[in-house]
């Protein structure tokens, strides 16, 4: 079970996702790409569904995205989440390929809480840029999760 | 669906058509809390379904259920007194499995692997904890891509698709209310429904608390204890039994490209989900089309799944389900396509969609509490947004 000390759910990193989470810890958004045909895919997996190659690599992307959809979660929720509800959760679409979509949270400031943005102001299609929020697990494991800023610095800068 | 590489495919597609029939159904009472265990409820539903059919439980030789079903085949067999069971199968993906269990039962009988097949679901979802509160089971793939961001519950996952759907097609909360109200009206006519005595107005819907915007409380299914079962035999055997046979005309399952269960955000076109893949096979194997369906039981863990399914199964074009839901089109008695005539998962009971199968059978027998006059065909579907399944029933 991976929870932070204050009860946030943390990703359990597996073999497929390792490169992604290494990237976020280094301050880079990386997509898995096929080593044979070059197609990027998400979520990461062992085989390319287009050309069946198991060659794969991690490719840094711009971190620029647009808002694809969002919800506003209200209780009942897990305790840490209920305490800050309501909060928006979004799906973003990467500019490199709009079919590459990630679940995340929108912020106004890079280290803001995930309930920072007024959901009434969210607009599907609005531009967003990635930032990374450091988290620490109960066992001391460090991880960084991507968040999406309404006006963002360039990825990895 | 003719395949130049396999010319025999189209003739084999007819093998299942009307070859088997549902001859017995049964349900336990539905309640927020029932005393008996899931195993006892399952066995009772199966024995009662056999009695409804007029077959003895010792004749059961095939058992089909959900991978999420807690009562194993050996428990069923040694409780209800099965003889030699020669076919058993489980279908995955929660609410996507329902029609699949009956479809596998039909295939087992049609191919001679068994003669009396039972499909069932027993669940104490009302008494038990909400599955999403178990954090240790949540963070495997694809949980690492969703849970850390606070997308915790099934309702959040479907709300995400719903917002996008509303954005693309101009659907509003009024369209979701159309669904909730239609299904509730049907429950109000069904004494077995949890919401039998609870009418719901449009104001009630609009005033309900949010759960995950754009979805409110009444966009969510019930949390129910209960069990259901049905018995499938060959069409020949069915003609000698006590109930009028309800023929399984066609059956399909559906798993579209690059699908992720419940979070179908990672494919080319997330608003054409598993229903679309399932529907293409279903209609290809049927003698009739969506325009010939008299009544439908559509999986409704959440109201928007009915909009997605109406499009996926071809009742309307893409994006047209919201306007189709206007004007009482989904309501008994006058609607163009009455749906979920027992109250469905939203207002009768939520037993992973198995009550939709039982209601489909009642409509074909002519015994629904919201009986569609002269109904001869019924579509029953399982979960949309997960790998799914569907049945076409006919009298
Ligand atoms: Zn490839």
């Amino acid at each position: 079970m991976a929870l932070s000390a204050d009860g946030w759910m943390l990703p359990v990193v597996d073999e497929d996702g390792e490169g992604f989470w290494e990237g976020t810890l280094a301050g880079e958004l990386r997509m898995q790409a096929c080593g044979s045909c070059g197609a990027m895919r998400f979520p990461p997996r062992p085989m390319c569904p287009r050309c069946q190659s198991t060659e794969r690599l991690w490719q840094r992307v711009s971190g620029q995205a647009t808002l694809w959809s969002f919800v506003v979660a209200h209780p009942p929720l897990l305790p840490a989440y209920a305490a800050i509800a309501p909060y928006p959760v979004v799906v973003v679409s990467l500019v490199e390929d709009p079919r590459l979509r990630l679940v995340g949270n929108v912020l106004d400031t890079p280290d803001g809480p995930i309930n920072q943005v007024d959901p009434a102001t969210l607009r599907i299609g609005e531009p967003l840029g990635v930032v990374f929020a450091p988290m620490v697990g109960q066992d001391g494991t460090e991880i960084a999760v991507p968040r999406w800023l309404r006006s963002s610095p360039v990825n990895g800068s | 669906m003719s395949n130049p590489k396999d010319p025999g495919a189209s003739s084999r597609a007819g093998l299942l058509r009307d070859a088997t029939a549902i001859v017995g159904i049964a349900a336990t009472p539905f309640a927020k809390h029932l005393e008996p265990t899931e195993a006892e409820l399952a066995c009772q539903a199966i024995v009662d379904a056999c009695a409804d059919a007029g077959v003895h439980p010792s004749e059961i030789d095939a058992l089909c259920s959900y991978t999420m079903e807690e009562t194993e085949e050996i428990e069923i067999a040694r409780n209800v007194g099965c003889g030699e069971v020669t076919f058993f199968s489980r279908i995955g993906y929660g609410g996507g499995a329902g029609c699949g269990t009956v479809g596998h039962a039909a295939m087992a009988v049609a191919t001679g692997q068994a003669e009396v097949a039972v499909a069932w679901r027993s669940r104490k979802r009302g008494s038990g904890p909400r599955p999403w509160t178990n954090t240790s089971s949540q963070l495997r793939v694809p949980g690492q891509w969703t849970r850390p961001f606070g997308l915790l519950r099934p309702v959040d996952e479907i709300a995400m698709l719903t917002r996008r759907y509303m954005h693309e097609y101009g659907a509003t909360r009024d369209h979701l209310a159309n669904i909730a109200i239609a299904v509730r009206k049907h429950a109000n006519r069904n004494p077995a429904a949890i919401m039998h005595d609870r009418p719901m107005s449009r104001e009630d819907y609009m005033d309900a608390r949010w759960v995950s915007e754009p979805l409110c409380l009444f966009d969510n299914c019930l949390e129910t204890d209960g069990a259901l079962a049905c018995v499938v035999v060959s069409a020949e055997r069915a003609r000698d039994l006590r109930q009028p046979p309800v023929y399984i005309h066609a059956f399909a399952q559906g798993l579209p490209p690059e699908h992720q269960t419940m979070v179908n955000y990672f494919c080319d076109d997330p608003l054409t989900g598993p229903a679309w893949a399932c529907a293409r096979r279903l209609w290809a194997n049927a003698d009739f089309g969506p325009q010939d369906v008299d009544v439908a039981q559509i999986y409704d863990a959440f109201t928007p799944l009915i909009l997605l399914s109406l499009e996926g199964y071809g009742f309307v074009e893409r994006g047209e389900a919201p306007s189709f839901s206007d004007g009482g089109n989904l309501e008994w008695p006058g609607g163009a396509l009455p749906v979920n005539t027992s109250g469905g998962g939203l207002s009768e009971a939520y037993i992973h969609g198995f009550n939709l199968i039982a209601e489909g059978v009642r409509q074909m027998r002519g015994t629904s509490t919201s009986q569609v006059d002269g109904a001869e065909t019924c579509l029953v579907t399982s979960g949309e947004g997960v790998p799914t399944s569907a049945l076409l029933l006919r009298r």
Side-chain angles (χ1 to χ4, degrees):
Chain A
M1 171 138 83
L3 289 176
S4 73
D6 37 10
W8 302 99
M9 297 187 87
L10 300 181
V12 173
V13 179
D14 63 6
E15 286 171 344
D16 291 339
E18 221 166 31
F20 181 91
W21 298 111
E22 281 172 17
T24 57
L25 209 51
E28 285 185 9
L29 189 68
R30 296 173 187 166
M31 282 289 113
Q32 190 183 51
C34 175
S36 178
C37 77
M40 286 193 285
R41 57 183 189 255
F42 186 85
R45 72 205 79 158
M47 183 174 282
C48 173
R50 292 172 181 80
C51 77
Q52 290 72 46
S53 170
T54 56
E55 297 296 318
R56 51 200 187 272
L57 47 91
W58 292 95
Q59 200 167 308
R60 181 171 149 186
V61 292
S62 70
Q64 301 301 307
T66 58
L67 180 60
W68 186 79
S69 188
F70 65 100
V71 305
V72 185
H74 295 253
L77 289 155
L78 296 172
Y81 295 85
I84 58 144
Y87 60 86
V89 186
V90 305
V91 167
V92 304
S93 211
L94 299 189
V95 293
E96 281 81 1
D97 180 347
R99 294 170 303 179
L100 293 171
R101 302 185 192 90
L102 285 78
V103 179
N105 305 101
V106 172
L107 305 179
D108 280 326
T109 57
D111 52 359
I114 66 169
N115 64 351
Q116 184 180 38
V117 169
D118 175 4
T121 66
L122 289 170
R123 294 288 174 267
I124 287 176
E126 72 169 284
L128 301 165
V130 77
V131 292
F132 300 96
M135 315 272 282
V136 181
Q138 282 166 331
D139 61 356
T141 309
E142 291 183 17
I143 195 155
V145 298
R147 305 247 193 255
W148 299 91
L149 201 61
R150 293 180 118 169
S151 60
S152 166
V154 174
N155 178 31
S157 68
Chain B
M1 206 171 274
S2 72
N3 181 351
K5 290 180 184 165
D6 184 1
S10 58
S11 61
R12 290 198 305 278
L15 288 180
L16 198 60
R17 196 175 306 164
D18 303 325
T20 63
I22 300 174
V23 292
I25 52 170
T28 66
F30 303 131
K32 178 79 181 168
H33 176 72
L34 295 174
E35 279 306 318
T37 62
E38 285 183 349
E40 183 175 341
L41 293 170
C43 294
Q44 194 61 57
I46 289 170
V47 168
D48 291 350
C50 288
D52 182 55
V55 303
H56 194 270
S58 62
E59 295 182 73
I60 297 170
D61 55 4
L63 294 169
C64 303
S65 194
Y66 301 54
T67 56
M68 287 180 75
E69 172 64 34
E70 296 286 338
T71 308
E72 295 187 358
E73 294 86 348
I74 53 170
E75 293 305 322
I76 298 295
R78 72 192 190 94
N79 276 282
V80 310
C82 298
E84 290 179 342
V85 176
T86 56
F87 182 91
F88 30 101
S89 74
R90 300 277 194 122
I91 302 182
Y93 306 106
C99 292
T101 66
V102 179
H104 283 212
M107 290 193 294
V109 171
T111 56
Q113 299 303 115
E115 290 171 26
V116 177
V118 161
W120 82 96
R121 182 71 172 115
S122 174
R123 201 179 190 206
K124 294 184 73 172
R125 178 66 181 76
S127 298
R130 292 173 168 139
W132 55 265
T133 57
N134 179 359
T135 55
S136 62
S137 72
Q138 295 280 338
L139 284 175
R140 298 191 197 101
V141 179
Q144 67 181 307
W145 310 115
T146 60
R147 299 286 182 257
F149 311 103
L151 199 75
L152 303 180
R153 307 161 296 182
V155 64
D156 302 312
E157 296 169 328
I158 297 303
M160 192 70 81
L161 286 177
T162 306
R163 173 91 62 184
R164 183 69 195 186
Y165 181 94
M166 294 165 96
H167 171 79
E168 287 199 18
Y169 304 140
T172 67
R173 290 193 72 213
D174 262 307
H175 298 116
L176 301 176
N178 288 344
I179 307 269
I181 291 166
V183 173
R184 179 63 65 90
K185 283 183 182 172
H186 301 155
N188 293 151
R189 300 176 48 80
N190 172 14
I194 301 257
M195 291 298 185
H196 174 58
D197 297 324
R198 300 266 300 276
M200 180 172 65
S201 67
R202 194 161 294 263
E203 293 66 39
D204 293 336
Y205 175 90
M206 291 297 170
D207 292 345
R209 67 177 172 83
W210 291 118
V211 180
S212 191
E213 297 177 53
L215 300 182
C216 72
L217 180 65
F218 294 135
D219 293 307
N220 288 256
C221 63
L222 303 167
E223 297 175 309
T224 316
D225 286 7
L228 296 108
C230 75
V231 180
V232 175
V233 301
S234 71
E236 293 72 33
R237 176 91 193 267
R239 288 190 264 279
D240 298 329
L241 294 174
R242 46 187 294 205
Q243 296 287 355
V246 174
Y247 295 101
I248 296 170
H249 181 70
F251 156 66
Q253 291 176 275
L255 165 57
E258 297 209 55
H259 174 68
Q260 287 271 10
T261 184
M262 287 305 286
V263 286
N264 191 40
Y265 317 146
F266 308 109
C267 57
D268 285 359
D269 188 0
L271 297 184
T272 59
W276 299 70
C278 185
R280 275 188 272 275
R281 175 66 68 185
L282 188 74
W283 296 124
N285 285 0
D287 286 343
F288 56 89
Q291 69 282 356
D292 305 309
V293 169
D294 296 320
V295 57
Q297 316 299 332
I298 300 178
Y299 189 86
D300 59 346
F302 306 101
T303 53
L305 300 184
I306 292 188
L307 296 175
L308 289 167
S309 299
L310 287 169
E311 295 171 13
Y313 288 97
F315 293 104
V316 292
E317 295 295 316
R318 193 172 172 176
E320 289 181 356
S323 58
F324 182 72
S325 75
D326 285 332
N329 262 338
L330 304 177
E331 294 179 21
W332 184 90
L337 183 71
V339 302
N340 301 10
T341 43
S342 66
L346 290 163
S347 286
E348 183 190 31
Y350 183 62
I351 317 287
H352 253 161
F354 214 101
N355 51 320
L356 299 172
I357 298 167
E359 173 64 7
V361 171
R362 286 190 293 265
Q363 283 286 355
M364 296 299 91
R365 289 179 178 179
T367 60
S368 170
T369 51
S370 294
Q371 181 61 42
V372 172
D373 230 10
E376 294 188 346
T377 59
C378 181
L379 171 73
V380 187
T381 77
S382 294
E384 172 57 355
V386 298
T388 193
S389 51
L391 293 165
L392 280 175
L393 305 179
R394 59 166 283 266
R395 285 204 295 184

